[in-house]
Amino acid sequence: MSKKVADVLWEMLSKAGVKRCYGIVGDALNPVVDALRRNGTIEFVPVRHEEYGAFAAVAEAYFTGNPVVVCGTAGPGVVHLFNGLMDARKEGAPIIAIAGDVESSILDTSALEEMNPYKFFEAASLYTARLVNPEQARAVISTAILTAVLDKGPTVLAIPGDVASADAPDEPTDFTIAAPAILRPAETDFEKLVKMIDEAKTVAIFGGDGCRESRDEVVELACKLKAPVGYAFRGKQWLEHDNPNAVGMTGLIGYGGAYNAINEADLLLMLGTDFPFSEFLPGANVKKVQIDKNPKHLGRRTALDLGLVGDIKSTVSALLPAVKEKTNGDFLAKQLAHTQSFHKLLQHYVEKGPGIKPIRPEFLAATLSELAPDDAMFFADTGTACIWLARHIYGGKNRRLFGSFSWASMANAAPNAFGCALAYPSRQCIALCGDGGFTMLGMGDLLTQIERRTPVVQVILNNEKFDFVHIEQQEAGFIPFGVEFKNPNFAKVAEAMGAKGIRIEEPEDVREGLAEALAYKDGPVVVDAVVDPFALAMPSHSPFHTVKGFTLSFAKQVLSGRLDTVIKEMERNVGIV
């Protein structure tokens, strides 16, 4: 019996290292999914919402480095994949989306559920193909796989059911995935870089996710140059732990001495980062060098004195013997002292947390960080959960921290944690969820976790509002509006669905409740933590427009009869300024 096109698809995906496919079946996908059943080497993970499956796949693909498949049937099912694929593109995760398509005989007739995959996925996909002839199969599937793996991002294969069911050509399906290339700046540019470093009295380093494979080299370079090391959110998990020169993050969720370090140095080395908030980067008073393997990143956030294309590991490895060691450590000591001072400020509500009700989220996050295993994997929803992850969840050599840091989608944490729980069954996967994000996407697919008895710990920051949007509105000088909502008792909802539910309302119950959640291994846990809705987090550097916005917002709130709200917000945050 000859192979079908769908059989060739899964055979090639299996050879590429695919272990799982997340999605929802449907008529246009039936031949593809039936071939998946026959293949037997790739696990199908049926979810309640395709977007949930896509976010799960993103986290799995990002950390394992292996391609992961997601699927949705024609039209609406395919549309639900889009947000997760955008996240995959921004976070650099090798995802291959199989999009069900209408029968090839009715393409371009505005048939029910028909859509143009080229136009629809243009922003999200690195490569999109519509498989309309079996003769295309090997070339198109191979291209989708290689693009996803080597360029680290999402690709899309739209496959009509009749084509998936057609006989495949009798030809080999083998292909080779090359190892990542070594990418170094040209010798003339490299010499300029060495000269700039040697001539600078003080150097600072600001690193991002591009330092993932070069953590040791970057730390060694920093020590040789007496350079403080700040990092973007995506660089925190690689550059924070066991780094004597670490000075924290910059930006509105920043902490420590990072802002001062990168703005006061003679020379700033930006390594593998596309940090998007230009107002926190230095101007012409600081010389700036950016090194990145993606040339599109160079200079688009701030003007550069030198932009170099290269991967960080090979470039920094070459720099180490080439640059002169610096002997004056005063600049580094100053930034480390600033970082330590800010760290003490961060501990205010952690130390006082046991005696404050409603529960302070700083105290909750710090306790979670303390109790979790050294190899735990943490995931944060976009919003204030990211603040507490950045400031109070400490990384380590084997700890991992992840979120929708570059796309900033809501509702990613629970599915991220689910995907990694499947990929790393021996590790604790913890989702720090906003109540808005959990009700948007996490609650429905809690049933998926329950069916599989996946031990994901979901800690919900229950403050009954879109808290980060509330803060953003104040920063912009507006009266907060449209951000509040009512929640159920999430613990009781979880218990009714079949999960373990824990509700924490009293600060003295925080440690015991979290310990109980982390100890439970028989399925998912939902921790409903009722936290202070007025908690704020001041950055280590506040731009003038932010301070002005808060002042204007408070004035407007007072004039509109919300004086009691303003007083509460001020009273609840006396220790952060």
Side-chain angles (χ1 to χ4, degrees):
M1 182 178 177
S2 61
K3 293 179 184 178
K4 305 299 182 184
V5 169
D7 293 315
V8 171
L9 169 69
W10 294 113
E11 182 179 317
M12 295 181 71
L13 290 170
S14 180
K15 289 179 179 179
V18 172
K19 299 291 191 297
R20 265 168 291 278
C21 170
Y22 299 82
I24 296 179
V25 300
D27 54 353
L29 271 181
N30 284 340
V32 172
V33 173
D34 189 53
L36 172 62
R37 176 192 59 80
R38 292 195 301 271
N39 179 274
T41 64
I42 296 173
E43 179 185 13
F44 181 58
V45 184
V47 292
R48 262 61 176 194
H49 196 298
E50 293 92 345
E51 185 176 336
Y52 187 96
F55 278 125
V58 168
E60 176 182 344
Y62 173 84
F63 282 116
T64 65
N66 295 324
V68 181
V69 173
V70 296
C71 67
T73 195
V78 170
V79 168
H80 284 162
L81 294 173
F82 184 86
N83 199 40
L85 295 185
M86 281 298 299
D87 195 61
R89 180 157 190 171
K90 297 291 186 176
E91 299 299 330
I95 300 295
I96 301 162
I98 300 174
D101 207 346
V102 298
E103 298 290 304
S104 61
S105 61
I106 57 173
L107 289 176
D108 298 326
T109 65
S110 295
L112 179 69
E113 297 186 331
E114 182 186 5
M115 58 175 290
N116 185 323
Y118 302 108
K119 289 184 177 180
F120 182 75
F121 287 110
E122 183 178 5
S125 177
L126 300 178
Y127 169 76
T128 301
R130 201 172 206 174
L131 226 174
V132 296
N133 189 311
E135 298 293 334
Q136 295 173 276
R138 187 201 60 79
V140 163
I141 297 167
S142 174
T143 302
I145 292 170
L146 293 175
T147 302
V149 175
L150 298 178
D151 289 348
K152 296 191 182 301
T155 58
V156 177
L157 291 173
I159 309 178
D162 60 311
V163 177
S165 300
D167 290 340
D170 185 14
E171 58 182 4
T173 58
D174 295 331
F175 60 96
T176 300
I177 298 178
I182 296 174
L183 190 60
R184 276 269 313 277
E187 197 60 35
T188 53
D189 284 339
F190 186 79
E191 291 172 359
K192 291 179 185 177
L193 173 60
V194 173
K195 186 173 185 291
M196 290 176 72
I197 292 174
D198 286 344
E199 290 179 350
K201 290 183 179 179
T202 57
V203 179
I205 291 173
F206 186 62
D209 191 62
C211 298
R212 177 177 180 175
E213 304 297 335
S214 56
R215 178 224 173 259
D216 292 345
E217 290 82 0
V218 172
V219 173
E220 185 179 350
L221 178 66
C223 291
K224 186 170 186 178
L225 300 179
K226 307 297 185 292
V229 180
Y231 26 87
F233 207 165
R234 297 184 71 205
K236 171 182 163 75
Q237 65 180 320
W238 314 120
L239 297 176
E240 179 184 54
H241 71 87
D242 303 318
N243 181 354
N245 293 26
V247 292
M249 292 169 51
T250 189
L252 284 175
I253 63 174
Y255 59 91
Y259 178 85
N260 286 353
I262 67 176
N263 281 274
E264 294 176 3
D266 293 332
L267 175 66
L268 173 62
L269 302 179
M270 300 170 63
L271 305 180
T273 179
D274 189 34
F275 183 73
F277 304 106
S278 301
E279 64 200 281
F280 290 93
L281 296 173
N285 58 309
V286 176
K287 289 186 177 180
K288 297 177 289 294
V289 174
Q290 185 176 4
I291 306 171
D292 203 292
K293 64 182 179 181
N294 187 341
K296 294 179 182 179
H297 292 175
L298 299 179
R300 70 178 179 182
R301 308 303 183 188
T302 184
L304 302 176
D305 295 274
L306 183 63
L308 303 176
V309 178
D311 68 80
I312 304 305
K313 188 177 183 69
S314 61
T315 304
V316 173
S317 295
L319 268 180
L320 282 167
V323 296
K324 298 174 183 176
E325 183 170 4
K326 297 194 182 297
T327 56
N328 189 332
D330 292 348
F331 177 70
L332 173 61
K334 176 184 175 182
Q335 308 310 328
L336 291 174
H338 187 175
T339 303
Q340 184 60 33
S341 175
F342 198 87
H343 178 74
K344 291 179 181 177
L345 190 66
L346 288 181
Q347 298 308 302
H348 177 82
Y349 281 111
V350 174
E351 295 170 355
K352 294 184 178 295
I356 299 176
K357 184 179 178 180
I359 297 165
R360 291 295 301 199
E362 302 96 325
F363 169 56
L364 179 78
T367 305
L368 180 63
S369 181
E370 178 189 341
L371 293 175
D374 291 340
D375 65 347
M377 305 182 80
F378 292 90
F379 306 87
D381 269 344
T382 297
T384 52
C386 279
I387 299 177
W388 315 128
L389 179 80
R391 296 179 166 210
H392 297 287
I393 302 294
Y394 293 104
K397 181 178 180 181
N398 297 312
R399 275 194 176 181
R400 294 294 174 260
L401 314 173
F402 192 72
S404 185
F405 297 150
S406 299
W407 180 231
S409 173
M410 282 182 61
N412 61 282
N416 285 164
F418 173 62
C420 280
L422 298 183
Y424 300 96
S426 64
R427 299 175 70 169
Q428 188 124 55
C429 293
I430 304 165
L432 199 59
C433 302
D435 47 3
F438 186 75
T439 51
M440 175 184 282
L441 198 58
M443 190 180 294
D445 264 286
L446 180 61
L447 291 168
T448 304
Q449 296 184 19
I450 292 165
E451 285 182 3
R452 304 177 69 92
R453 296 175 66 181
T454 312
V456 175
V457 177
Q458 286 133 128
V459 180
I460 301 174
L461 300 168
N462 186 349
N463 51 25
E464 297 197 324
K465 65 179 177 181
F466 296 120
D467 197 15
F468 203 83
V469 179
H470 179 270
I471 295 172
E472 287 176 326
Q473 288 179 344
Q474 290 179 301
E475 288 175 356
F478 300 131
I479 296 174
F481 177 77
V483 295
E484 296 181 351
F485 46 78
K486 289 296 181 183
N487 286 327
N489 182 316
F490 289 113
K492 288 185 178 180
V493 171
E495 293 284 359
M497 294 171 75
K500 183 174 181 59
I502 300 170
R503 186 171 171 92
I504 307 176
E505 298 179 351
E506 303 295 331
E508 59 265 28
D509 296 333
V510 166
R511 178 171 291 272
E512 181 180 349
L514 292 178
E516 181 183 358
L518 295 171
Y520 187 74
K521 304 300 181 186
D522 198 33
V525 184
V526 172
V527 178
D528 184 3
V530 181
V531 297
D532 191 345
F534 293 103
L536 291 174
M538 296 299 291
S540 55
H541 169 76
S542 298
F544 173 73
H545 70 82
T546 300
V547 178
K548 178 183 176 182
F550 264 102
T551 304
L552 181 59
S553 176
F554 282 176
K556 288 180 178 179
Q557 291 178 68
V558 170
L559 292 174
S560 65
R562 300 188 185 185
L563 178 61
D564 57 337
T565 299
V566 172
I567 292 174
K568 284 181 181 178
E569 192 157 6
M570 294 174 68
E571 287 178 342
R572 302 274 181 88
N573 296 282
V574 293
I576 65 171
V577 292

